[in-house]
Amino acid sequence: MTNSSKGIIFLGLPGSGKGTQADLLSGRFGLSHISTGEILRQSIAEKTPLGQQAQSYVERGELVPDQLLLDLIDYALQNNKHQSGWILDGFPRTVTQAIFLDKLLEKFPQTSVCVVNLEVPENVLIERLLQRGRQDDTDDIIRRRLEVYYKQTAPVLDYYSSKGQMNIVNGDRQLEEITDSLEKLISS
Ligand code: ADP
């Protein structure tokens, strides 16, 4: 085995299927699946200091303040146990987070990074989220999360596009077809 590893950054609107695909691919490639949403939900359930600070934001569909996420991701990447690498699901969600991540990745020169945006039309997303029915998947909060995405996260797509790092995958297909496309991209 070489000492190179993979870093996959999954972008995409809420409900685009990032979490599902990240789960499948992390299993297949032996990567850590780092979902900031999952980490936050778990921290909230366990009432940790992070959870207590994040709770009101998550419940309203707002982004949790950058500094909390920067500390979280710094810890997660520095303590990653999987030699093969990681998949980031839900981070970066602001340009500040993206710039921080670039800086952090300088500490891992052997990691080859692949940025993917899973594209799904908005009407499909809302349908999926309402069916999923997580606590923050109510009509009002979904609407707020989409607004937040367009305002704060869409610039992250421009950030990676302007660096020539952006890959776009059509997320409005059968699950296996999407996984196939992603596998090809990751292996290339
Ligand atoms: P989804 O992508 O379906 O909206 P996530 O599980 O990724 O769901 O995120 C749920 C919530 O967790 C977000 O609405 C936000 O409040 C918080 N969150 C997750 N990741 C971040 C992040 N990188 N920056 C700020 N807040 C975040």
Side-chain angles (χ1 to χ4, degrees):
M1 197 172 117
T2 65
N3 57 4
S4 71
S5 66
K6 289 180 194 303
I8 318 294
I9 299 173
F10 260 137
L11 305 173
L13 280 151
S16 59
K18 301 185 295 280
T20 308
Q21 294 295 338
D23 254 345
L24 284 164
L25 293 168
S26 58
R28 262 175 229 186
F29 289 88
L31 309 170
S32 308
H33 176 188
I34 303 168
S35 160
T36 48
E38 277 303 319
I39 294 170
L40 291 172
R41 279 188 288 281
Q42 198 173 346
S43 306
I44 292 168
E46 290 170 359
K47 299 188 164 43
T48 66
L50 170 66
Q52 286 172 344
Q53 293 176 82
Q55 183 163 16
S56 66
Y57 298 97
V58 174
E59 284 174 352
R60 280 180 283 133
E62 307 284 340
L63 292 186
V64 172
D66 278 332
Q67 193 54 51
L68 294 175
L69 269 296
L70 303 187
D71 293 343
L72 186 163
I73 223 68
D74 188 53
Y75 180 86
L77 290 193
Q78 309 256 24
N79 291 281
N80 174 34
K81 298 284 183 296
H82 288 76
Q83 294 270 319
S84 338
W86 41 261
I87 302 181
L88 278 187
D89 160 14
F91 188 97
R93 259 178 155 96
T94 64
V95 172
T96 302
Q97 293 179 11
I99 292 169
F100 177 86
L101 180 58
D102 271 346
K103 198 97 203 96
L104 181 60
L105 290 177
E106 287 172 11
K107 293 187 189 164
F108 305 94
Q110 76 288 9
T111 302
S112 69
V113 175
C114 176
V115 184
V116 190
N117 186 31
L118 267 184
E119 272 192 348
V120 178
E122 193 174 301
N123 59 324
V124 177
L125 295 172
I126 296 177
E127 196 65 25
R128 285 187 190 172
L129 290 170
L130 287 172
Q131 275 184 12
R132 182 170 74 179
R134 214 169 62 195
Q135 222 171 10
D136 57 346
D137 287 337
T138 63
D139 220 15
D140 285 357
I141 305 177
I142 291 171
R143 228 190 298 278
R144 183 66 197 136
R145 276 157 57 211
L146 292 178
E147 270 173 26
V148 165
Y149 181 92
Y150 291 123
K151 199 160 163 223
Q152 294 178 265
T153 306
V156 175
L157 308 190
D158 299 335
Y159 175 83
Y160 286 116
S161 297
S162 67
K163 299 202 317 158
Q165 275 190 293
M166 179 60 90
N167 297 283
I168 294 172
V169 168
N170 174 5
D172 187 20
R173 292 179 292 162
Q174 293 286 321
L175 195 117
E176 299 79 23
E177 287 179 53
I178 303 169
T179 314
D180 271 0
S181 298
L182 289 168
E183 275 193 17
K184 289 201 183 91
L185 185 67
I186 292 168
S187 316
S188 65

